[in-house]
Amino acid sequence: MDASWPEAPALRRPRILRQGWRELTFLHWAVSPSTVAHFFPPGARPDTFEGRTYVGLVPFRMVGSGFPRGPAVPYFGTFLETNVRLYSVDTSGRRGVVFLSLDADRLAVVAAARTVFGLPYRWAAMSHGADGNDHVYTSTVRHPGVRASSRVAVRTGEPLAAGPLEDFLTARWGLHVARAGRTWYLPNQHPPWVLHAAELVGFDDRGLLASVGLTGLSRPPDHVAYSPGVPAEFGLPSRL
């Protein structure tokens, strides 16, 4: 991992989308790559750090989504989201994420993202509350055939100096997704994360991880962090 790793590579034009990611909590579990390899689309595989890969659960607020220029989309451009993700690298060396689920509380957003990008969005009833350094996120999935919910409560602390593991988990400049029988890479760019230490003061997973096929993660997460957020832009997808 070279010294430029935390910096986003130049994003080619045209840009297709902009978003604001705010008040994010990152929960991560270290797992053996072989236990999650079957989730990855052709041409991508688990990326590893010191021989392990990671499962991430990330609740946050999405704000100001819209096209690259002009105003954000009213109402539908701001919503709550909780995603479950894995960490990928493809045959050309591009690192990214593979989403197992993206739960959001805007049904129209869920329908559009599933149709246009093929991403596994699911409708959910969600809440986020902040009181000083305390943040609480809740989610109850309303997707047909899925019964799952979660509650995450964290207390944020001092700024966290990002090390190699934090860079591995958060400096991800695209996503891999299977769409129409092919694997695509959707690139993004954003400023380096400003991370804070965080204490997990409450975590209740009522089937959320199991609903995407992940088992054996009943232990506390191995890494917890918080960020006030970053603005992000997306470029055109490319086919592997």
Side-chain angles (χ1 to χ4, degrees):
M1 194 177 298
D2 60 48
S4 65
W5 169 254
E7 302 291 335
L11 187 65
R12 294 181 180 178
R13 295 185 182 276
R15 314 288 165 77
I16 63 171
L17 182 68
R18 76 176 193 271
Q19 297 177 332
W21 303 334
R22 298 287 185 269
E23 295 173 295
L24 305 92
T25 289
F26 298 92
L27 308 184
H28 283 102
W29 291 262
V31 299
S32 169
S34 63
T35 64
V36 295
H38 60 286
F39 289 112
F40 289 74
R45 66 183 188 278
D47 199 4
T48 60
F49 179 84
E50 296 182 349
R52 308 283 279 177
T53 193
Y54 283 78
V55 171
L57 189 155
V58 185
F60 67 103
R61 292 194 309 118
M62 182 83 76
V63 302
S65 296
F67 296 110
R69 297 183 181 276
V73 177
Y75 181 73
F76 296 107
T78 296
F79 52 92
L80 298 175
E81 181 174 316
T82 294
N83 64 59
V84 178
R85 67 194 203 180
L86 305 174
Y87 297 92
S88 53
V89 62
D90 62 32
T91 51
S92 63
R94 293 175 298 189
R95 290 184 164 96
V97 300
V98 168
F99 288 109
L100 301 186
S101 65
L102 303 101
D103 298 335
D105 64 349
R106 292 280 189 266
L107 183 57
V109 171
V110 170
R114 291 180 70 92
T115 301
V116 176
F117 295 109
L119 292 169
Y121 267 88
R122 308 184 300 188
W123 186 33
M126 311 183 81
S127 70
H128 167 253
D131 182 7
N133 292 333
D134 293 337
H135 292 260
V136 178
Y137 313 79
T138 69
S139 177
T140 300
V141 180
R142 292 177 169 176
H143 196 72
V146 179
R147 297 187 64 182
S149 64
S150 67
R151 180 182 182 274
V152 176
V154 296
R155 180 165 298 132
T156 65
E158 296 299 316
L160 177 65
L165 177 58
E166 286 76 24
D167 290 339
F168 175 87
L169 296 172
T170 64
R172 294 278 153 178
W173 309 120
L175 65 91
H176 293 99
V177 61
R179 177 71 171 155
R182 299 182 182 275
T183 301
W184 299 81
Y185 183 77
L186 179 63
N188 69 62
Q189 71 173 14
H190 57 74
W193 293 98
V194 175
L195 297 173
H196 289 252
E199 176 190 1
L200 186 64
V201 295
F203 179 52
D204 186 10
D205 173 19
R206 298 187 178 182
L208 182 63
L209 295 173
S211 73
V212 296
L214 295 169
T215 59
L217 294 179
S218 57
R219 70 181 192 273
D222 299 297
H223 190 276
V224 181
Y226 170 84
S227 176
V230 293
E233 294 181 300
F234 288 83
L236 287 171
S238 60
R239 191 174 67 190
L240 267 63

